[in-house]
mmCIF file of all heavy atoms in Angstrom:
data_model
loop_
_atom_site.group_PDB
_atom_site.id
_atom_site.type_symbol
_atom_site.label_atom_id
_atom_site.label_comp_id
_atom_site.label_asym_id
_atom_site.label_seq_id
_atom_site.Cartn_x
_atom_site.Cartn_y
_atom_site.Cartn_z
ATOM 1 N N GLU A 154 -109.786 280.019 14.792
ATOM 2 C CA GLU A 154 -110.374 280.117 13.451
ATOM 3 C C GLU A 154 -110.048 278.880 12.616
ATOM 4 O O GLU A 154 -110.902 278.376 11.875
ATOM 5 C CB GLU A 154 -109.869 281.382 12.746
ATOM 6 C CG GLU A 154 -110.252 282.685 13.414
ATOM 7 C CD GLU A 154 -111.700 283.100 13.178
ATOM 8 O OE1 GLU A 154 -112.550 282.230 12.912
ATOM 9 O OE2 GLU A 154 -111.961 284.306 13.299
ATOM 10 N N ARG A 155 -108.822 278.360 12.749
ATOM 11 C CA ARG A 155 -108.446 277.153 11.999
ATOM 12 C C ARG A 155 -109.263 275.951 12.471
ATOM 13 O O ARG A 155 -109.765 275.166 11.648
ATOM 14 C CB ARG A 155 -106.951 276.872 12.157
ATOM 15 C CG ARG A 155 -106.046 277.799 11.386
ATOM 16 C CD ARG A 155 -104.612 277.274 11.351
ATOM 17 N NE ARG A 155 -104.014 277.244 12.679
ATOM 18 C CZ ARG A 155 -103.314 278.240 13.203
ATOM 19 N NH1 ARG A 155 -103.140 279.353 12.513
ATOM 20 N NH2 ARG A 155 -102.781 278.130 14.401
ATOM 21 N N VAL A 156 -109.374 275.799 13.776
ATOM 22 C CA VAL A 156 -110.149 274.680 14.333
ATOM 23 C C VAL A 156 -111.602 274.769 13.886
ATOM 24 O O VAL A 156 -112.209 273.765 13.500
ATOM 25 C CB VAL A 156 -110.040 274.685 15.871
ATOM 26 C CG1 VAL A 156 -111.030 273.714 16.499
ATOM 27 C CG2 VAL A 156 -108.617 274.356 16.311
ATOM 28 N N PHE A 157 -112.150 275.963 13.946
ATOM 29 C CA PHE A 157 -113.536 276.195 13.549
ATOM 30 C C PHE A 157 -113.750 275.874 12.069
ATOM 31 O O PHE A 157 -114.713 275.188 11.701
ATOM 32 C CB PHE A 157 -113.886 277.657 13.832
ATOM 33 C CG PHE A 157 -115.174 278.126 13.242
ATOM 34 C CD1 PHE A 157 -116.381 277.583 13.646
ATOM 35 C CD2 PHE A 157 -115.181 279.124 12.286
ATOM 36 C CE1 PHE A 157 -117.583 278.025 13.095
ATOM 37 C CE2 PHE A 157 -116.368 279.576 11.743
ATOM 38 C CZ PHE A 157 -117.581 279.025 12.143
ATOM 39 N N HIS A 158 -112.848 276.324 11.209
ATOM 40 C CA HIS A 158 -113.000 276.072 9.769
ATOM 41 C C HIS A 158 -112.894 274.577 9.459
ATOM 42 O O HIS A 158 -113.648 274.051 8.621
ATOM 43 C CB HIS A 158 -111.946 276.854 8.983
ATOM 44 C CG HIS A 158 -112.152 276.821 7.504
ATOM 45 N ND1 HIS A 158 -111.531 275.890 6.691
ATOM 46 C CD2 HIS A 158 -112.925 277.586 6.685
ATOM 47 C CE1 HIS A 158 -111.891 276.091 5.442
ATOM 48 N NE2 HIS A 158 -112.741 277.118 5.406
ATOM 49 N N HIS A 159 -111.969 273.898 10.133
ATOM 50 C CA HIS A 159 -111.853 272.447 9.940
ATOM 51 C C HIS A 159 -113.142 271.748 10.365
ATOM 52 O O HIS A 159 -113.619 270.832 9.671
ATOM 53 C CB HIS A 159 -110.668 271.910 10.737
ATOM 54 C CG HIS A 159 -110.550 270.410 10.681
ATOM 55 N ND1 HIS A 159 -110.067 269.747 9.576
ATOM 56 C CD2 HIS A 159 -110.868 269.445 11.595
ATOM 57 C CE1 HIS A 159 -110.089 268.442 9.798
ATOM 58 N NE2 HIS A 159 -110.580 268.240 11.016
ATOM 59 N N TRP A 160 -113.711 272.160 11.478
ATOM 60 C CA TRP A 160 -114.963 271.566 11.962
ATOM 61 C C TRP A 160 -116.081 271.776 10.947
ATOM 62 O O TRP A 160 -116.880 270.862 10.684
ATOM 63 C CB TRP A 160 -115.320 272.186 13.311
ATOM 64 C CG TRP A 160 -116.557 271.621 13.943
ATOM 65 C CD1 TRP A 160 -116.661 270.527 14.742
ATOM 66 C CD2 TRP A 160 -117.886 272.150 13.823
ATOM 67 N NE1 TRP A 160 -117.969 270.333 15.134
ATOM 68 C CE2 TRP A 160 -118.740 271.322 14.581
ATOM 69 C CE3 TRP A 160 -118.434 273.251 13.159
ATOM 70 C CZ2 TRP A 160 -120.108 271.556 14.694
ATOM 71 C CZ3 TRP A 160 -119.796 273.484 13.259
ATOM 72 C CH2 TRP A 160 -120.617 272.650 14.013
ATOM 73 N N LEU A 161 -116.154 272.966 10.374
ATOM 74 C CA LEU A 161 -117.156 273.218 9.338
ATOM 75 C C LEU A 161 -116.971 272.276 8.155
ATOM 76 O O LEU A 161 -117.951 271.764 7.593
ATOM 77 C CB LEU A 161 -117.064 274.667 8.855
ATOM 78 C CG LEU A 161 -117.556 275.761 9.802
ATOM 79 C CD1 LEU A 161 -117.273 277.128 9.190
ATOM 80 C CD2 LEU A 161 -119.042 275.609 10.095
ATOM 81 N N GLY A 162 -115.716 272.048 7.768
ATOM 82 C CA GLY A 162 -115.454 271.164 6.641
ATOM 83 C C GLY A 162 -115.970 269.756 6.863
ATOM 84 O O GLY A 162 -116.389 269.071 5.920
ATOM 85 N N VAL A 163 -115.969 269.312 8.117
ATOM 86 C CA VAL A 163 -116.451 267.971 8.454
ATOM 87 C C VAL A 163 -117.968 267.941 8.579
ATOM 88 O O VAL A 163 -118.632 267.022 8.072
ATOM 89 C CB VAL A 163 -115.798 267.484 9.764
ATOM 90 C CG1 VAL A 163 -116.402 266.150 10.218
ATOM 91 C CG2 VAL A 163 -114.283 267.362 9.594
ATOM 92 N N HIS A 164 -118.545 268.943 9.238
ATOM 93 C CA HIS A 164 -119.960 268.896 9.607
ATOM 94 C C HIS A 164 -120.868 269.734 8.700
ATOM 95 O O HIS A 164 -122.052 269.404 8.549
ATOM 96 C CB HIS A 164 -120.127 269.348 11.057
ATOM 97 C CG HIS A 164 -119.417 268.469 12.042
ATOM 98 N ND1 HIS A 164 -119.960 267.283 12.497
ATOM 99 C CD2 HIS A 164 -118.207 268.584 12.631
ATOM 100 C CE1 HIS A 164 -119.123 266.716 13.345
ATOM 101 N NE2 HIS A 164 -118.048 267.482 13.447
ATOM 102 N N TYR A 165 -120.342 270.796 8.119
ATOM 103 C CA TYR A 165 -121.132 271.665 7.242
ATOM 104 C C TYR A 165 -120.273 272.008 6.027
ATOM 105 O O TYR A 165 -119.848 273.154 5.842
ATOM 106 C CB TYR A 165 -121.563 272.930 7.994
ATOM 107 C CG TYR A 165 -122.519 272.627 9.137
ATOM 108 C CD1 TYR A 165 -122.047 272.375 10.424
ATOM 109 C CD2 TYR A 165 -123.900 272.570 8.915
ATOM 110 C CE1 TYR A 165 -122.917 272.077 11.462
ATOM 111 C CE2 TYR A 165 -124.779 272.269 9.947
ATOM 112 C CZ TYR A 165 -124.275 272.019 11.211
ATOM 113 O OH TYR A 165 -125.148 271.721 12.241
ATOM 114 N N PRO A 166 -119.998 271.005 5.201
ATOM 115 C CA PRO A 166 -118.967 271.152 4.163
ATOM 116 C C PRO A 166 -119.264 272.226 3.119
ATOM 117 O O PRO A 166 -118.328 272.771 2.535
ATOM 118 C CB PRO A 166 -118.907 269.762 3.528
ATOM 119 C CG PRO A 166 -120.205 269.103 3.888
ATOM 120 C CD PRO A 166 -120.582 269.645 5.213
ATOM 121 N N ARG A 167 -120.524 272.544 2.883
ATOM 122 C CA ARG A 167 -120.799 273.557 1.861
ATOM 123 C C ARG A 167 -120.225 274.917 2.246
ATOM 124 O O ARG A 167 -119.824 275.691 1.371
ATOM 125 C CB ARG A 167 -122.314 273.674 1.613
ATOM 126 C CG ARG A 167 -122.923 272.462 0.923
ATOM 127 C CD ARG A 167 -124.276 272.781 0.306
ATOM 128 N NE ARG A 167 -125.281 273.162 1.286
ATOM 129 C CZ ARG A 167 -126.053 272.310 1.970
ATOM 130 N NH1 ARG A 167 -125.918 270.991 1.776
ATOM 131 N NH2 ARG A 167 -126.942 272.736 2.836
#
Side-chain angles (χ1 to χ4, degrees):
E154 297 283 25
R155 286 192 295 268
V156 169
F157 169 64
H158 189 266
H159 175 76
W160 182 87
L161 288 175
V163 174
H164 298 278
Y165 295 91
R167 291 198 297 274

